[in-house]
Amino acid sequence: MKVIIKKTKEEIGEEIAKEILKDIKENDHLILGLATGSTPLPLYKSLITQSKEEEVSFKNIKTFNLDEYCGLDATNDQSYRYFMNENLFKYLDFEPNSHHFPSTENCSKYDDLIEEAGGIDIQILGIGENGHIAFNEPNTSLDSKTHITSLTQNTIKNNSRFFANVEDVPTKAITMGLSTILKARKIYLIATGKNKAEAIKTMLEGKYIPSCPASALNLKENDVYIYLDEDAATLLKE
Ligand code: PGA
């Protein structure tokens, strides 16, 4: 695991976008695992600008998103499919059928769909204040595959900032499991802001702690990159 601390979230986005585009130039059939939330937005902005500047095509790229709320369809502006269309997909030359989201219908087949496509080459992750990755809340099994889960009160409260009322936040979601995520060949986890500092400190203790699902990344030997801004790194010793 490599920890990289940058001054700003924009610098993090620029650097990871550069790395992703470098990989796409070597293999234009990459499989990308994508995340939603505020954290990856600077990365998506940089991917859009840099791919235009460097004329990199996404025509053969397939994407698998980490998670989706139960009960919100693609036309709902709080669904993750809507988020991805608005913040990334519509700006690039992806083929229309190249995007995959977990759903109550494909849940039991989502891991197989990923495998059949060739497995995820690059997985983008954020982290929750409670250490969740995707919607794998504390104490989710390490063996978990894509599954339906109940969101914790902390997650519902944090995500309510995107909804009119906290009661509107779905209480269930479909998420890739921890074992699904750990199979990705390369992982970039991004954490920005002071509210992530505690979870980052726990994750970087170097061992797997079930109450901090992100710490499962310690079990992966190579190609895990943790990008932090100075706020998220506040509680680290050096
Ligand atoms: P955020 O969410 O990027 O909106 O902070 C991250 C997460 O909960 O995984």
Side-chain angles (χ1 to χ4, degrees):
M1 182 182 279
K2 203 167 165 208
V3 181
I4 301 117
I5 302 174
K6 295 276 169 193
K7 273 213 155 39
T8 65
K9 52 188 181 189
E10 286 76 21
E11 279 176 65
I12 296 175
E14 281 165 26
E15 189 158 314
I16 302 177
K18 205 176 286 167
E19 292 299 322
I20 294 175
L21 292 180
K22 196 155 73 178
D23 286 355
I24 294 180
K25 284 179 202 163
E26 278 170 23
N27 172 11
D28 71 352
H29 282 70
L30 276 191
I31 311 291
L32 297 181
L34 298 176
T36 50
S38 316
T39 308
L41 284 174
L43 164 63
Y44 296 156
K45 274 207 176 109
S46 290
L47 264 184
I48 296 162
T49 20
Q50 290 182 27
S51 62
K52 297 245 183 294
E53 279 163 17
E54 298 178 32
E55 296 179 16
V56 178
S57 170
F58 283 71
K59 221 170 162 32
N60 298 318
I61 304 288
K62 289 199 177 72
T63 68
F64 285 86
N65 262 75
L66 282 171
D67 44 19
E68 180 59 282
Y69 287 120
C70 286
L72 302 190
D73 68 21
T75 59
N76 188 304
D77 63 4
Q78 292 307 330
S79 74
Y80 287 166
R81 190 180 274 273
Y82 189 95
F83 175 100
M84 291 306 303
N85 283 334
E86 289 305 305
N87 291 294
L88 186 70
F89 297 158
K90 73 178 189 187
Y91 297 102
L92 300 172
D93 64 339
F94 285 109
E95 291 292 341
N97 292 327
S98 56
H99 307 304
H100 305 271
F101 288 76
S103 66
T104 42
E105 289 76 34
N106 71 14
C107 181
S108 62
K109 296 191 217 100
Y110 201 63
D111 284 50
D112 291 341
L113 282 176
I114 294 172
E115 288 301 308
E116 283 158 22
I120 289 173
D121 292 299
I122 300 177
Q123 178 65 58
I124 306 300
L125 293 175
I127 182 171
E129 275 178 20
N130 63 3
H132 72 205
I133 47 175
F135 278 133
N136 292 286
E137 299 285 34
N139 302 310
T140 301
S141 159
L142 256 189
D143 298 331
S144 53
K145 294 180 165 190
T146 303
H147 61 285
I148 297 178
T149 187
S150 296
L151 304 182
T152 61
Q153 280 311 314
N154 176 273
T155 299
I156 292 173
K157 183 176 87 30
N158 283 337
N159 290 6
S160 68
R161 68 190 195 275
F162 301 111
F163 292 81
N165 302 296
V166 69
E167 295 75 34
D168 297 338
V169 184
T171 55
K172 285 186 179 296
I174 313 110
T175 179
M176 280 190 201
L178 291 178
S179 85
T180 324
I181 292 171
L182 288 178
K183 282 194 192 125
R185 296 188 182 92
K186 192 188 281 189
I187 295 179
Y188 293 101
L189 181 143
I190 310 171
T192 52
K194 276 216 165 67
N195 60 328
K196 304 294 172 69
E198 193 67 50
I200 288 297
K201 179 169 169 260
T202 310
M203 181 184 85
L204 294 181
E205 281 175 25
K207 53 180 188 292
Y208 171 55
I209 303 165
S211 59
C212 177
S215 69
L217 299 183
N218 287 303
L219 302 173
K220 203 170 152 57
E221 281 173 14
N222 298 313
D223 285 328
V224 177
Y225 301 91
I226 311 296
Y227 274 84
L228 309 174
D229 71 354
E230 291 181 345
D231 284 342
T234 337
L235 300 178
L236 304 181
K237 289 209 179 74
E238 6 179 309

